[in-house]
Amino acid sequence: MPDDTEDRDRERALAELFERTAARPSREQRERLSALARSVTERSARRHLDRRLVWPVALAAAAAISYLVVAPPRGVRQSSSNETVPSAKTSVPALAAPVVRAPKAEPPQRNASAATDPDDFFAPTAADDLDELEPLELGPLFAPSEPTRSAELATAVERLGKDE
Amino acid sequence: MSRLIGVEDAPMEDPATAQERDLVARARSGDGKAFEELVRPHLALMYRVAGRAAGNPALAEEAVQESLTLVYQHLGRYQPGTSFKAFLAATAVKRARTLLRSELRRRRREAAPDDRASPAAPADLLAAAETERRIREALAALPAKRQRVALLRLDAGLDYAEIADAVGTTEGSARVLMHLALRDLAELLKDVMPEASLDKKDENHAR
């Protein structure tokens, strides 16, 4: 059991010591602290509002990031599967795909028909192979300015016959 | 009839408590002036206990500022009828101790000398500063709870019921903690204690 008298003496002595060395705020400090107490309600309300705004802003940011990161691959996949649902982000590849794909389905058949049908002179052009172009034979009225290979051969044979 | 009995049985509320309750309610609804009115009478006390716990005027002011914000944020936890002074003092002590710890960590990290000490001070001020330093060291040597009880009793002048509320213990425990704190502090500070108390203590020992 604590000794009350001894405790009281000690407490009195220590309280005196503490009183002598206590920190006391200056008038300016008191005024500063009072002003802070007055404004603390406003600052706390503002902070509370800021804290409430954190979640909507974070969710909006997450949605924007997921849209930017996830949307483009999905748009590319859509265009490759020939489903013409163009997304805003992938307008160029998605719109280009149907235009390119329609003629691309045809060329193999055209090449094949060009090989069998000599009248189809567009076929080599479509195949982009200019070496395969044959000079057009438009008859004697429309003879080419340069001698053709067959005419050269004929004159060469004639010369050989004369020489022999 | 029952209403009349209820009214007669209701305890009469102390006007100061009623005013405090009203100020707390107004402050909670965002009335800055009410909060100022509520804490203004206790600012010096808060500064004093924070100064003792932190041992530095700048830290003490910072601790009081932060305590005011904390008290306002936790005003909902305050139980009307208990001591608001104790609530403020306990918050200031806690905050000052936290700030002191982080300040000590920062100083240790930077290994910088304490530039706040004023070397050119009169002899009595130096002596007071030395005593203050000794008290702080003695308090720091106590276990945390004992230290808080001693501060709230010796610096804030709270009674044991208020200390018990502030520390979260019973009044009996607060008394025992204070007894232990007094014993330790008297031992650690015997060379700076006032003469009269030392004489009495010696007499008691002789008996």
Side-chain angles (χ1 to χ4, degrees):
Chain A
M1 194 68 193
D3 181 353
D4 280 354
T5 321
E6 197 179 1
D7 271 2
R8 228 172 286 142
D9 291 340
R10 278 174 180 166
E11 191 176 328
R12 202 175 301 130
L14 282 166
E16 194 184 316
L17 198 63
F18 272 57
E19 180 63 36
R20 233 170 40 208
T21 56
R24 286 174 185 85
S26 62
R27 182 177 288 186
E28 290 80 28
Q29 280 175 318
R30 273 176 195 256
E31 288 309 314
R32 254 202 316 268
L33 292 170
S34 277
L36 181 102
R38 206 166 39 242
S39 65
V40 80
T41 53
E42 292 161 25
R43 288 192 297 121
S44 289
R46 255 202 318 270
R47 199 175 301 163
H48 188 62
L49 187 69
D50 291 348
R51 228 177 266 166
R52 276 195 301 179
L53 281 175
V54 165
W55 277 110
V57 169
L59 285 173
I65 288 167
S66 64
Y67 177 76
L68 289 172
V69 171
V70 178
R74 201 181 291 160
V76 170
R77 250 182 269 128
Q78 278 175 0
S79 66
S80 67
S81 66
N82 247 353
E83 288 171 14
T84 52
V85 185
S87 70
K89 282 277 155 193
T90 57
S91 58
V92 176
L95 287 175
V99 176
V100 174
R101 284 219 166 263
K104 263 195 179 176
E106 290 297 317
Q109 292 170 357
R110 282 206 173 227
N111 279 341
S113 66
T116 53
D117 185 8
D119 291 333
D120 190 0
F121 54 84
F122 284 112
T125 313
D128 288 344
D129 196 352
L130 294 173
D131 295 338
E132 286 178 30
L133 280 173
E134 286 288 332
L136 299 177
E137 290 180 4
L138 298 172
L141 288 174
F142 295 96
S145 57
E146 285 179 17
T148 59
R149 202 176 286 173
S150 54
E152 280 174 5
L153 276 170
T155 50
V157 169
E158 255 182 337
R159 265 184 217 156
L160 276 170
K162 280 179 187 172
D163 289 345
E164 284 171 359
Chain B
M1 184 71 182
S2 61
R3 273 175 63 196
L4 280 174
I5 290 168
V7 168
E8 278 170 9
D9 286 351
M12 284 289 287
E13 196 176 46
D14 176 32
T17 311
Q19 193 197 1
E20 193 179 272
R21 187 194 294 271
D22 175 52
L23 286 174
V24 168
R26 276 167 51 202
R28 283 184 71 184
S29 63
D31 185 344
K33 278 191 176 171
F35 187 66
E36 185 193 2
E37 208 178 319
L38 197 61
V39 297
R40 199 181 167 91
H42 310 297
L43 285 176
L45 174 79
M46 288 176 81
Y47 186 84
R48 179 173 167 165
V49 291
R52 183 79 66 197
N56 169 322
L59 273 187
E61 191 174 341
E62 202 179 329
V64 176
Q65 287 176 358
E66 291 187 9
S67 300
L68 289 173
T69 310
L70 282 172
V71 164
Y72 179 71
Q73 283 168 356
H74 298 110
L75 212 51
R77 284 190 204 166
Y78 169 65
Q79 307 268 322
T82 59
S83 169
F84 192 67
K85 184 169 82 169
F87 183 53
L88 289 174
T91 311
V93 170
K94 255 191 192 173
R95 200 64 217 148
R97 280 171 53 86
T98 308
L99 284 179
L100 178 65
R101 269 202 301 273
S102 55
E103 173 71 9
L104 289 175
R105 268 201 301 273
R106 188 188 66 78
R107 273 192 216 163
R108 232 175 279 138
R109 226 177 16 246
E110 294 174 4
D114 185 5
D115 53 353
R116 289 191 182 94
S118 50
D124 53 343
L125 278 180
L126 277 179
E130 173 63 15
T131 310
E132 207 276 324
R133 189 185 61 79
R134 291 284 311 279
I135 293 174
R136 233 183 317 123
E137 282 175 359
L139 280 169
L142 301 183
K145 212 163 187 178
R146 223 178 278 181
Q147 187 188 121
R148 279 175 68 195
V149 169
L151 263 174
L152 294 174
R153 179 76 179 167
L154 297 170
D155 258 329
L158 300 185
D159 61 35
Y160 286 110
E162 289 175 323
I163 293 172
D165 274 348
V167 180
T169 186
T170 61
E171 204 177 316
S173 294
R175 278 180 194 278
V176 172
L177 284 167
M178 188 61 197
H179 164 74
L180 296 171
L182 287 171
R183 188 198 62 193
D184 295 348
L185 287 173
E187 181 59 34
L188 290 164
L189 297 169
K190 59 184 172 200
D191 53 328
V192 287
M193 291 264 276
E195 294 298 319
S197 68
L198 283 176
D199 294 344
K200 277 196 174 180
K201 197 182 161 195
D202 290 342
E203 278 171 27
N204 286 339
H205 274 291
R207 270 180 227 159

